[in-house]
Coordinates of all heavy atoms in Angstrom, one line a residue:
A1 N 45.5 -102.0 77.5 CA 44.9 -102.9 78.5 C 46.0 -103.6 79.3 O 46.9 -104.1 78.6 CB 43.9 -103.9 77.9
I2 N 45.9 -103.6 80.6 CA 47.0 -104.1 81.3 C 46.5 -104.7 82.7 O 45.5 -104.2 83.2 CB 48.1 -103.0 81.6 CG1 49.4 -103.6 82.1 CG2 47.5 -101.9 82.5 CD1 50.5 -102.6 82.1
E3 N 47.1 -105.7 83.2 CA 46.8 -106.2 84.5 C 47.5 -105.3 85.5 O 48.5 -104.7 85.2 CB 47.3 -107.6 84.7 CG 46.5 -108.6 83.8 CD 47.0 -110.0 83.9 OE1 48.1 -110.2 84.5 OE2 46.3 -111.0 83.5
A4 N 47.0 -105.2 86.7 CA 47.6 -104.4 87.8 C 49.0 -104.8 88.0 O 49.8 -104.0 88.4 CB 46.7 -104.5 89.1
G5 N 49.3 -106.1 87.8 CA 50.7 -106.5 88.0 C 51.7 -106.1 86.9 O 52.9 -106.4 87.0
G6 N 51.1 -105.6 85.8 CA 52.0 -105.1 84.7 C 51.9 -105.8 83.4 O 52.5 -105.3 82.4
K7 N 51.3 -107.0 83.3 CA 51.2 -107.7 82.0 C 50.3 -106.9 81.0 O 49.2 -106.7 81.3 CB 50.7 -109.1 82.3 CG 50.5 -109.9 81.0 CD 49.9 -111.3 81.3 CE 49.8 -112.1 80.0 NZ 49.2 -113.4 80.3
V8 N 50.8 -106.6 79.8 CA 50.1 -105.9 78.8 C 49.2 -106.9 78.1 O 49.7 -108.0 77.6 CB 51.1 -105.2 77.8 CG1 50.3 -104.6 76.7 CG2 51.9 -104.2 78.5
L9 N 47.9 -106.6 78.0 CA 46.9 -107.5 77.3 C 46.6 -107.0 75.9 O 46.2 -107.8 75.1 CB 45.7 -107.5 78.1 CG 45.8 -107.9 79.6 CD1 44.5 -107.8 80.4 CD2 46.3 -109.4 79.7
F10 N 46.7 -105.6 75.7 CA 46.4 -105.1 74.4 C 47.0 -103.7 74.3 O 47.1 -103.0 75.3 CB 44.9 -105.0 74.3 CG 44.4 -104.3 73.0 CD1 44.4 -104.9 71.8 CD2 44.0 -102.9 73.0 CE1 43.9 -104.3 70.6 CE2 43.6 -102.2 71.9 CZ 43.6 -102.9 70.7
S11 N 47.5 -103.3 73.1 CA 48.1 -102.0 72.9 C 47.9 -101.5 71.5 O 48.1 -102.3 70.5 CB 49.6 -102.0 73.3 OG 50.1 -100.8 73.1
R12 N 47.4 -100.3 71.3 CA 47.4 -99.6 70.0 C 47.8 -98.2 70.2 O 47.6 -97.6 71.2 CB 46.0 -99.7 69.4 CG 45.5 -101.0 68.8 CD 46.1 -101.2 67.4 NE 45.6 -100.2 66.5 CZ 44.4 -100.1 65.9 NH1 43.5 -101.1 66.2 NH2 44.1 -99.2 65.1
E13 N 48.3 -97.6 69.1 CA 48.7 -96.2 69.1 C 48.3 -95.5 67.9 O 48.2 -96.1 66.8 CB 50.2 -96.1 69.3 CG 50.7 -96.6 70.6 CD 52.2 -96.5 70.8 OE1 52.9 -97.1 69.9 OE2 52.7 -95.9 71.8
L14 N 48.2 -94.1 67.9 CA 48.0 -93.3 66.8 C 49.3 -93.3 65.9 O 50.4 -93.2 66.5 CB 47.7 -91.9 67.2 CG 46.3 -91.5 67.8 CD1 46.4 -90.1 68.4 CD2 45.2 -91.7 66.9
S15 N 49.1 -93.3 64.6 CA 50.3 -93.1 63.8 C 50.8 -91.7 63.8 O 50.0 -90.8 64.1 CB 49.9 -93.5 62.3 OG 49.0 -92.6 61.8
T16 N 52.0 -91.5 63.4 CA 52.5 -90.2 63.4 C 51.9 -89.3 62.3 O 51.8 -88.1 62.4 CB 54.1 -90.1 63.2 OG1 54.4 -90.9 62.0 CG2 54.8 -90.7 64.4
D17 N 51.4 -90.0 61.2 CA 50.7 -89.3 60.2 C 49.4 -88.6 60.7 O 49.1 -87.5 60.4 CB 50.3 -90.2 59.0 CG 51.5 -90.6 58.2 OD1 52.5 -89.9 58.3 OD2 51.4 -91.6 57.4
I18 N 48.6 -89.4 61.5 CA 47.4 -88.8 62.1 C 47.8 -87.8 63.1 O 47.1 -86.7 63.2 CB 46.6 -89.9 62.8 CG1 46.0 -90.9 61.8 CG2 45.5 -89.3 63.7 CD1 45.0 -90.3 60.8
M19 N 48.8 -88.0 63.9 CA 49.3 -87.0 64.8 C 49.6 -85.6 64.2 O 49.3 -84.5 64.6 CB 50.5 -87.5 65.6 CG 50.1 -88.7 66.5 SD 51.5 -89.6 67.2 CE 52.2 -88.3 68.3
R20 N 50.3 -85.7 63.0 CA 50.7 -84.5 62.2 C 49.4 -83.8 61.8 O 49.3 -82.5 61.8 CB 51.5 -84.9 61.0 CG 52.9 -85.4 61.4 CD 53.8 -84.3 61.8 NE 55.2 -84.7 62.1 CZ 56.0 -84.1 62.9 NH1 55.6 -83.0 63.5 NH2 57.2 -84.6 63.1
K21 N 48.4 -84.5 61.4 CA 47.2 -83.9 61.0 C 46.4 -83.2 62.1 O 45.9 -82.2 62.0 CB 46.2 -85.0 60.3 CG 46.7 -85.5 59.0 CD 45.8 -86.5 58.4 CE 46.3 -87.0 57.1 NZ 45.5 -88.1 56.5
V22 N 46.5 -83.9 63.3 CA 45.9 -83.2 64.5 C 46.6 -81.9 64.8 O 46.0 -80.9 65.2 CB 46.0 -84.2 65.7 CG1 45.5 -83.5 67.0 CG2 45.1 -85.4 65.5
I23 N 48.0 -82.0 64.7 CA 48.7 -80.7 64.9 C 48.4 -79.6 64.0 O 48.2 -78.5 64.4 CB 50.3 -81.1 64.8 CG1 50.7 -82.0 66.0 CG2 51.1 -79.8 64.8 CD1 52.0 -82.6 65.8
S24 N 48.3 -80.0 62.7 CA 47.9 -79.0 61.6 C 46.5 -78.4 61.9 O 46.4 -77.1 61.9 CB 47.9 -79.6 60.3 OG 49.3 -80.0 59.9
F25 N 45.6 -79.3 62.2 CA 44.2 -78.8 62.6 C 44.2 -77.8 63.7 O 43.6 -76.8 63.7 CB 43.3 -80.0 62.8 CG 41.9 -79.7 63.2 CD1 41.0 -79.6 62.2 CD2 41.5 -79.4 64.5 CE1 39.6 -79.3 62.5 CE2 40.2 -79.2 64.8 CZ 39.3 -79.1 63.8
S26 N 45.0 -78.2 64.8 CA 45.0 -77.4 66.0 C 45.7 -76.0 65.7 O 45.2 -75.0 66.2 CB 45.8 -78.1 67.1 OG 45.2 -79.3 67.4
K27 N 46.8 -76.0 65.0 CA 47.5 -74.8 64.7 C 46.6 -73.8 63.8 O 46.6 -72.6 64.0 CB 48.8 -75.1 64.0 CG 49.9 -75.6 65.0 CD 51.2 -75.8 64.3 CE 52.3 -76.3 65.3 NZ 52.5 -75.3 66.4
E28 N 45.9 -74.4 62.9 CA 45.0 -73.6 62.0 C 44.0 -72.9 62.9 O 43.5 -71.8 62.5 CB 44.4 -74.5 61.0 CG 45.3 -74.9 59.9 CD 44.6 -76.0 58.9 OE1 43.4 -76.1 59.1 OE2 45.3 -76.5 58.1
R29 N 43.5 -73.5 64.0 CA 42.5 -72.9 64.8 C 43.0 -72.4 66.1 O 42.2 -72.0 67.0 CB 41.4 -74.0 65.0 CG 40.6 -74.3 63.7 CD 39.9 -75.7 63.8 NE 39.2 -75.9 62.6 CZ 39.8 -76.4 61.4 NH1 41.1 -76.5 61.3 NH2 39.0 -76.6 60.4
N30 N 44.3 -72.3 66.3 CA 44.9 -71.8 67.5 C 44.4 -72.6 68.7 O 44.0 -72.0 69.8 CB 44.6 -70.3 67.7 CG 45.6 -69.7 68.7 OD1 46.7 -70.2 68.9 ND2 45.0 -68.7 69.4
L31 N 44.3 -73.9 68.6 CA 43.9 -74.8 69.7 C 45.0 -75.5 70.4 O 46.0 -75.9 69.7 CB 42.9 -75.8 69.2 CG 41.6 -75.3 68.6 CD1 40.8 -76.5 67.9 CD2 40.7 -74.6 69.6
Y32 N 44.9 -75.7 71.7 CA 45.9 -76.5 72.5 C 45.7 -78.0 72.2 O 44.6 -78.5 72.2 CB 45.7 -76.2 74.0 CG 46.5 -77.2 74.9 CD1 47.8 -76.9 75.3 CD2 45.9 -78.3 75.3 CE1 48.5 -77.8 76.1 CE2 46.6 -79.2 76.1 CZ 47.8 -78.9 76.5 OH 48.5 -79.8 77.3
C33 N 46.8 -78.7 72.0 CA 46.7 -80.2 71.9 C 47.9 -80.8 72.6 O 48.9 -80.2 72.8 CB 46.6 -80.7 70.4 SG 48.1 -80.5 69.5
Q34 N 47.7 -82.1 73.0 CA 48.8 -82.8 73.7 C 48.8 -84.3 73.3 O 47.8 -84.8 72.8 CB 48.6 -82.7 75.2 CG 47.4 -83.3 75.8 CD 47.3 -83.1 77.3 OE1 47.5 -82.0 77.8 NE2 46.9 -84.2 78.0
F35 N 49.9 -84.9 73.4 CA 50.1 -86.3 73.1 C 50.7 -86.9 74.3 O 50.8 -86.3 75.4 CB 51.0 -86.5 71.9 CG 50.5 -85.8 70.7 CD1 51.0 -84.5 70.3 CD2 49.5 -86.4 69.9 CE1 50.6 -83.9 69.1 CE2 49.0 -85.8 68.8 CZ 49.6 -84.5 68.4
Y36 N 51.1 -88.2 74.2 CA 51.6 -89.0 75.3 C 52.8 -89.8 74.9 O 52.8 -90.4 73.8 CB 50.6 -89.9 75.9 CG 49.4 -89.1 76.4 CD1 48.4 -88.8 75.5 CD2 49.3 -88.7 77.7 CE1 47.3 -88.0 75.9 CE2 48.2 -87.9 78.1 CZ 47.2 -87.6 77.2 OH 46.1 -86.8 77.6
K37 N 53.9 -89.9 75.7 CA 55.0 -90.8 75.5 C 55.5 -91.3 76.8 O 55.7 -90.5 77.7 CB 56.1 -90.0 74.7 CG 57.3 -90.9 74.4 CD 58.3 -90.1 73.6 CE 59.5 -91.0 73.2 NZ 60.6 -90.3 72.5
D38 N 55.7 -92.6 76.9 CA 56.2 -93.2 78.1 C 55.3 -92.8 79.3 O 55.8 -92.6 80.4 CB 57.6 -92.9 78.4 CG 58.6 -93.3 77.3 OD1 58.3 -94.4 76.7 OD2 59.6 -92.6 77.0
H39 N 54.0 -92.7 79.0 CA 53.0 -92.3 80.1 C 53.2 -91.0 80.7 O 52.9 -90.7 81.8 CB 52.9 -93.4 81.1 CG 52.7 -94.8 80.6 ND1 51.7 -95.1 79.7 CD2 53.5 -95.9 80.7 CE1 51.8 -96.4 79.4 NE2 52.9 -96.9 79.9
K40 N 53.8 -90.1 79.9 CA 54.0 -88.7 80.3 C 53.2 -87.8 79.2 O 53.0 -88.2 78.1 CB 55.4 -88.3 80.3 CG 56.2 -88.9 81.4 CD 57.7 -88.5 81.4 CE 58.5 -89.0 82.6 NZ 58.6 -90.5 82.6
I41 N 52.8 -86.6 79.6 CA 52.1 -85.7 78.8 C 53.1 -85.0 77.9 O 54.0 -84.4 78.5 CB 51.2 -84.8 79.6 CG1 50.2 -85.6 80.4 CG2 50.5 -83.8 78.6 CD1 49.5 -84.7 81.4
V42 N 52.9 -85.0 76.6 CA 53.9 -84.3 75.7 C 53.2 -83.0 75.2 O 52.1 -83.1 74.5 CB 54.4 -85.2 74.6 CG1 55.3 -84.4 73.7 CG2 55.0 -86.4 75.1
V43 N 53.8 -81.9 75.4 CA 53.2 -80.6 75.0 C 54.2 -79.7 74.4 O 55.4 -79.9 74.6 CB 52.5 -79.9 76.2 CG1 51.4 -80.7 76.8 CG2 53.6 -79.5 77.3

């Protein structure tokens, strides 16, 4: 959550442990997944 002027009001992120599980799940089922870093799409 952020104001239009840039002030951050709230921030939370997925842990890398959960991200690894999402990756494993996706690879087992041949599914596309993506993440985000610095407001860019990571694939």
Side-chain angles (χ1 to χ4, degrees):
I2 193 167
E3 294 178 346
K7 180 182 178 182
V8 175
L9 305 173
F10 175 80
S11 180
R12 282 279 302 280
E13 293 178 306
L14 289 169
S15 69
T16 54
D17 287 343
I18 292 294
M19 293 167 69
R20 292 286 181 203
K21 290 179 181 178
V22 172
I23 291 166
S24 296
F25 180 90
S26 301
K27 286 185 177 295
E28 287 172 9
R29 292 159 176 79
N30 196 31
L31 298 173
Y32 167 91
C33 72
Q34 66 183 42
F35 302 99
Y36 302 84
K37 183 177 181 180
D38 299 327
H39 309 303
K40 294 180 175 63
I41 299 167
V42 178
V43 297

